[in-house]
Amino acid sequence: MKHIISALVENKPGVLAHVAGMFAARAFNIDSLVVGRTEDPKLSRMTIVVVGDDRVVEQVRKQLAKIVPVVKVQDFAGQPMVARDLMLVTISAPPEKRPEILSLIEMFKAKVVDIGTRQLMVEVCGPESKIEAFIDLCKPYGIKNVARTGTIAMPRQGSSEAKS
Amino acid sequence: MCSHVVSSGASARNQPTIEYLTGAQIIVRTLLELGVDTIFGYTGAAVLPLFDEIDSENWRNIMAKKSDETKTGAQIIVDTLIEQGADTVFGYPGGVVLPLFDRLYDAPINFIIPRHEQGGCHMADAYARASGKVGVVIATSGPGACNLVTGLATAMMDSVPLVALTGQVRTDLIGNDAFQEADTTGITRPVTKYNCIVKDVKDLARVIREAFHIASTSRPGPVLVDIPVDVQVAKCQTDGRNEMNLPGYKVSTKGHARQISAAAAAINKSERPVLYVGGGVVIANASEELRALAQKAHLPVTMTLLGLGSFDQNDPESLDMLGMHGSAYANYAVQECDLLIAIGARFDDRVTGKVKGFAPNAKIIHIDIDPTSISKNVKVDIPVVGDAKHILTELLKEVEHRERAEWFKKIAEWKKKFPFSYDRKASTIKPQYVIEELCRQTEGRAIVTTGVGQNQMWAAQFFKFHGPRHFISSGGLGTMGFGLPAAVGAQVARPDAIVIDIDGDHSFNMTMTELSTAVENKLPIKVCILNNGYMGMVRQWQQLFYGRRYSKSYLSNPDYATVAEALGAVGITVDKKADVAGAIKKMLGEKKPCVVDFRVEREENVWPMVPAGKNINEMDGLDILESMA
Ligand SMILES: Cc1ncc(C[n+]2csc(CCOP(=O)(O)OP(=O)(O)O)c2C)c(N)n1
Ligand SMILES: [Mg+2]
């Protein structure tokens, strides 16, 4: 099962290496890992998507918490939460196909961010499933390039007591 | 604040001296009296008199004096080491630690220089294991730091409190492949509990304090601080306000009361319990509490390699070591118990054998300070996270005495049938005999360090320990070459103790240069080489599993007695069984480091043995033990 784990870490050099090294050394699989600043300049948030059974994910959670500069670890699995991915994707779009593609973009509430003579760059934001669906539907036109951020997530109000 | 009051100084004998002070002066003097030396404030009409007073010469002088003390980074390192109680340090110099070594020139620190940084690291490690204090090792950048890696990994696997300080190239050269530059924090991250580089001298005192704290608390481990040479030279004002700041590091000590009660209830209900004790009990200094628990509740105790000494092996409740080369009676007891109480142990594969078949009938209680150890390898029924000493103390209040006569009778039968044994009538020197004789002549009171291999297993099987911190061995990493430097470190920590390195010939070969360190520092360590001419444990596996093809497990050895004498130690060779006891007696009387080369039976095997992937009650060699019992 996929778990979204959120770790608040000290904003110090070497922390990312420590976390990434721990995952590699203990043979845990990372689906995605996103690091960004928080409201507190001393802290960063890492959002890590891991796949594994409960025992593995429990180890991941504990091993993360054990890393000295990791301040807090939460597992959002089973919690009401908002999870989002951001994707930039370049789709080949010859003039005759454009109307179709644009209506697809419209339906996904995505955005055209760059237009060339034969291709479009589109920005899509949403839960991972939506991003995957968009990719699937665009495949027939030809996808040239994909860049994705990986998942970030936050619990919904009133469910802040995620397992920690 | 402007009205004057009279203050009478009580000091005068005849007339009280009368001094007129303004309110503002009284405020300032009182603040000074209370030790306030820094004030944050913003001026305004209503506080002008006070600000005027604060700005007066008097205050500024005091301020200046308080903050005038500037120190170099190197001095800060030395002062912080002393503040942290590090009166003994192991280290080796080099270019980028010269500023630090200059400050160590006349520092009140007992400084031991090994012949190789790996040796220094093992010495600091064993110093910590023998004393319970934090071991400290210093090395230069690049090659010096790289030479620490094996030692750090050894300490990491065995949870030893260690602080390593390494020099680093100048901050502005980092990343440029400068001379003797290595990415020390990158290289050592997986083999340390924590590491970091200090790039600002203002952080130095705080980071070193944090290093000692992290190394010695919770589940201990090595911490490395990398210090560029310019940071050692840089000066900063030291204001003592350099407190630790570790928001991500929590030390949980007390066990959960409900979990402890659940554990006590399970113990009280159990018909066939076994205590399975690891190095955590030694680290937590909880031997006394363990003894009390085993006696009060009447529980048999088996120990891991690192747990040896936590429980007196001469007590009838002792089942000695369990696992791959553990006692048959311990392994049988674990497989048949209905309750396994693991304390400060981590269900290592050398202990469990086939994990799925380990303690198949037992409910499992696991007491450990490290939550990641719990349910990592084996699913646990009652986890209790916290310090073993505290939890055992609480547990003791709730357990009841039960005779469990049938269980102890069964254990006694196993003990009688399958004791550790060997051919005592053989004409050759059996390695086990040497260890039994060492144990007999020292009454089991010596501190024993070991190499890795058969020598280590026989030491664990045949030396019966009375108390903790007497068996010092590389368990988790199994580092050949640990024994000799460990003996040096242990002897430095315990100058009056008898320290014996029970070593293998090839383990000794790896770090024998440290004999010079023992000679130079007049450390009367004893080295007993169980010289079988083989990498014996490798040879045993090749015999049993590779059709006796002894591939590359034989090397020619030097004459160890000659080597010892050349390095300034005493060297003795023993090749007759009849000379063993006498040689040991002579060795124990030596004031100098002493090496005894015992030419032991060449193809002796360690029994019993649980082959890899088997359950621990599926031991080989039981027929041999039984026939010699
Ligand atoms: C540094 C290191 N290299 C290799 C090994 C693998 N190894 C384990 S035991 C052993 C043989 C040890 O030989 P010796 O020290 O003579 O001890 P004996 O088994 O003969 O008592 C070897 C090579 C190890 N544990 N450590
Ligand atoms: Mg050997």
Side-chain angles (χ1 to χ4, degrees):
Chain A
M1 185 187 156
K2 240 180 209 175
H3 286 244
I4 301 177
I5 290 181
S6 170
L8 214 51
V9 305
E10 280 189 80
N11 194 358
K12 276 186 185 169
V15 180
L16 178 60
H18 216 131
V19 170
M22 185 278 286
F23 273 86
R26 298 202 175 265
F28 298 140
N29 284 318
I30 305 183
D31 223 49
S32 72
L33 189 160
V34 184
V35 197
R37 284 188 290 235
T38 64
E39 72 286 359
D40 182 345
K42 292 202 284 296
L43 297 174
S44 302
R45 186 177 294 283
M46 289 189 186
T47 310
I48 307 161
V49 180
V50 285
V51 187
D53 60 28
D54 286 354
R55 214 173 60 96
V56 168
V57 176
E58 162 129 345
Q59 264 297 310
V60 169
R61 202 161 51 76
K62 289 174 174 176
Q63 293 288 357
L64 269 173
K66 190 167 149 179
I67 295 173
V68 172
V70 173
V71 177
K72 190 172 181 199
V73 182
Q74 287 176 293
D75 181 354
F76 291 153
Q79 309 283 325
M81 57 156 172
V82 179
R84 291 289 180 269
D85 263 40
L86 177 67
M87 170 172 72
L88 293 176
V89 54
T90 324
I91 308 158
S92 93
E96 67 277 14
K97 295 279 184 197
R98 277 196 191 175
E100 268 175 56
I101 298 176
L102 285 172
S103 74
L104 193 65
I105 291 170
E106 174 86 354
M107 276 189 287
F108 273 80
K109 293 211 172 68
K111 224 160 70 187
V112 177
V113 287
D114 187 44
I115 304 186
T117 48
R118 310 203 57 83
Q119 61 190 43
L120 292 173
M121 195 202 298
V122 182
E123 170 195 310
V124 197
C125 174
E128 209 189 347
S129 54
K130 174 176 158 184
I131 308 257
E132 303 284 353
F134 188 80
I135 292 176
D136 283 346
L137 290 169
C138 288
K139 265 188 193 148
Y141 305 106
I143 292 177
K144 305 212 145 169
N145 260 315
V146 168
R148 290 172 65 170
T149 58
T151 305
I152 56 168
M154 227 178 234
R156 287 184 187 277
Q157 272 234 312
S159 63
S160 53
E161 65 279 15
K163 250 212 250 165
S164 65
Chain B
M1 271 185 239
C2 300
S3 63
H4 288 66
V5 292
V6 177
S7 137
S8 64
S11 61
R13 258 175 295 141
N14 303 330
Q15 295 169 310
T17 44
I18 294 177
E19 205 184 348
Y20 292 95
L21 297 177
T22 65
Q25 283 172 322
I26 292 177
I27 295 174
V28 166
R29 289 203 179 185
T30 313
L31 287 176
L32 283 174
E33 237 173 68
L34 293 170
V36 175
D37 59 3
T38 308
I39 290 180
F40 302 87
Y42 200 87
T43 189
V47 283
L48 274 179
L50 181 55
F51 269 70
D52 189 47
E53 191 57 37
I54 286 173
D55 255 348
S56 77
E57 274 309 290
N58 181 33
W59 183 281
R60 256 208 301 272
N61 278 344
I62 291 169
M63 286 291 290
K65 228 175 93 203
K66 285 241 168 180
S67 58
D68 214 23
E69 204 188 350
T70 62
K71 286 189 198 172
T72 63
Q75 190 64 49
I76 292 174
I77 297 171
V78 171
D79 290 351
T80 314
L81 285 176
I82 292 169
E83 166 205 299
Q84 294 296 311
D87 48 24
T88 302
V89 170
F90 303 84
Y92 205 88
V96 297
V97 281
L98 283 178
L100 173 57
F101 274 73
D102 184 64
R103 291 296 85 210
L104 287 164
Y105 187 70
D106 44 14
I109 287 177
N110 177 23
F111 201 91
I112 311 282
I113 311 151
R115 269 42 179 177
H116 185 294
E117 288 89 349
Q118 180 190 349
C121 202
H122 291 326
M123 287 173 198
D125 170 318
Y127 174 87
R129 296 193 209 211
S131 67
K133 298 198 330 190
V134 176
V136 181
V137 61
I138 298 175
T140 191
S141 64
C146 288
N147 276 349
L148 292 181
V149 171
T150 306
L152 292 171
T154 303
M156 180 72 174
M157 284 293 246
D158 292 348
S159 309
V160 178
L162 198 72
V163 168
L165 305 177
T166 48
Q168 183 54 279
V169 301
R170 266 188 0 240
T171 323
D172 60 315
L173 289 180
I174 291 176
N176 287 3
D177 300 323
F179 176 63
Q180 296 199 322
E181 180 183 359
D183 175 10
T184 302
T185 50
I187 291 168
T188 60
R189 190 166 293 120
V191 294
T192 51
K193 183 173 172 185
Y194 179 63
N195 72 13
C196 64
I197 179 164
V198 179
K199 290 190 176 168
D200 185 342
V201 66
K202 289 208 264 333
D203 296 328
L204 199 48
R206 174 178 56 79
V207 170
I208 294 174
R209 278 180 202 132
E210 289 171 354
F212 274 82
H213 178 65
I214 294 168
S216 60
T217 52
S218 201
R219 178 173 176 179
V223 177
L224 181 140
V225 182
D226 200 27
I227 310 168
V229 61
D230 52 319
V231 174
Q232 298 167 40
V233 175
K235 288 186 175 174
C236 81
Q237 298 194 335
T238 54
D239 52 10
R241 252 176 283 111
N242 242 324
E243 267 144 42
M244 292 193 288
N245 176 28
L246 296 166
Y249 186 71
K250 292 154 215 98
V251 181
S252 62
T253 47
K254 288 202 171 119
H256 197 291
R258 214 171 42 226
Q259 293 298 91
I260 293 174
S261 295
I267 293 172
N268 291 338
K269 228 175 71 194
S270 165
E271 308 273 343
R272 302 185 310 279
V274 170
L275 278 166
Y276 147 46
V277 174
V281 170
V282 177
I283 294 167
N285 295 317
S287 286
E288 198 39 52
E289 290 76 8
L290 172 68
R291 190 194 54 79
L293 179 75
Q295 271 181 6
K296 183 172 176 198
H298 205 212
L299 310 167
V301 184
T302 179
M303 288 162 272
T304 67
L305 184 75
L306 292 188
L308 287 175
S310 61
F311 190 78
D312 191 333
Q313 289 183 275
N314 300 284
D315 279 3
E317 287 87 4
S318 173
L319 300 180
D320 305 321
M321 184 171 76
L322 81 165
M324 180 177 272
H325 291 297
S327 70
Y329 36 98
N331 288 347
Y332 281 140
V334 167
Q335 292 305 85
E336 293 208 6
C337 71
D338 64 3
L339 179 71
L340 189 71
I341 309 142
I343 313 174
R346 59 189 175 86
F347 296 84
D348 176 84
D349 54 275
R350 283 291 186 270
V351 160
T352 61
K354 191 165 117 198
V355 178
K356 281 217 171 69
F358 182 67
N361 310 308
K363 193 173 193 166
I364 298 180
I365 299 171
H366 191 179
I367 298 168
D368 206 291
I369 198 153
D370 180 1
T372 66
S373 283
I374 286 171
S375 290
K376 181 176 68 181
N377 301 336
V378 170
K379 181 103 188 62
V380 169
D381 300 292
I382 307 177
V384 194
V385 176
D387 176 57
K389 196 177 180 81
H390 169 261
I391 294 167
L392 286 179
T393 307
E394 293 303 306
L395 209 47
L396 195 59
K397 296 177 191 159
E398 297 187 40
V399 293
E400 293 151 11
H401 186 85
R402 284 189 60 175
E403 212 37 61
R404 302 189 172 100
E406 228 171 279
W407 182 226
F408 274 94
K409 189 166 152 256
K410 201 162 190 185
I411 288 171
E413 281 163 16
W414 287 323
K415 274 191 174 183
K416 189 143 179 281
K417 198 162 173 207
F418 306 112
F420 287 124
S421 55
Y422 60 96
D423 182 4
R424 289 190 164 78
K425 293 191 220 69
S427 57
T428 52
I429 304 176
K430 291 283 181 179
Q432 302 96 322
Y433 166 60
V434 174
I435 295 167
E436 274 188 343
E437 189 57 26
L438 283 169
C439 186
R440 194 183 66 76
Q441 290 199 26
T442 60
E443 293 169 353
R445 305 283 172 190
I447 294 179
V448 173
T449 70
T450 74
V452 170
Q454 295 182 316
N455 60 89
Q456 177 185 34
M457 292 300 114
W458 286 319
Q461 291 179 339
F462 288 90
F463 204 100
K464 301 291 174 215
F465 293 92
H466 288 281
R469 304 196 181 280
H470 279 65
F471 184 67
I472 296 177
S473 187
S474 168
L477 200 68
T479 309
M480 284 171 73
F482 179 76
L484 174 61
V488 170
Q491 189 80 77
V492 171
R494 300 278 311 279
D496 298 327
I498 301 171
V499 178
I500 305 175
D501 168 26
I502 297 178
D503 221 332
D505 43 342
H506 293 293
S507 294
F508 182 76
N509 286 344
M510 287 206 169
T511 53
M512 66 174 149
T513 183
E514 301 303 346
L515 204 51
S516 299
T517 312
V519 170
E520 182 180 26
N521 291 282
K522 302 194 168 54
L523 299 166
I525 58 165
K526 331 285 177 204
V527 180
C528 295
I529 304 175
L530 303 179
N531 185 356
N532 50 15
Y534 280 110
M535 299 175 193
M537 189 55 94
V538 173
R539 187 208 53 74
Q540 177 169 344
W541 283 56
Q542 289 172 333
Q543 177 191 335
L544 299 175
F545 310 117
Y546 293 89
R548 284 183 189 265
R549 287 158 55 84
Y550 295 164
S551 177
K552 326 296 181 203
S553 53
Y554 168 82
L555 292 165
S556 71
N557 284 323
D559 181 63
Y560 292 114
T562 311
V563 171
E565 297 281 344
L567 295 177
V570 176
I572 302 173
T573 307
V574 183
D575 49 16
K576 282 196 255 343
K577 188 179 178 183
D579 296 339
V580 170
I584 290 175
K585 183 149 185 270
K586 178 166 185 316
M587 172 190 87
L588 291 173
E590 282 295 341
K591 296 276 177 295
K592 279 201 210 174
C594 180
V595 176
V596 189
D597 176 1
F598 292 99
R599 305 285 168 86
V600 298
E601 170 79 45
R602 302 208 49 206
E603 300 199 8
E604 184 71 13
N605 285 334
V606 181
W607 302 118
M609 174 173 189
V610 180
K614 286 275 168 64
N615 292 321
I616 59 169
N617 53 351
E618 299 173 295
M619 290 165 275
D620 287 345
L622 288 187
D623 46 335
I624 300 171
L625 295 188
E626 200 177 355
S627 69
M628 292 169 187

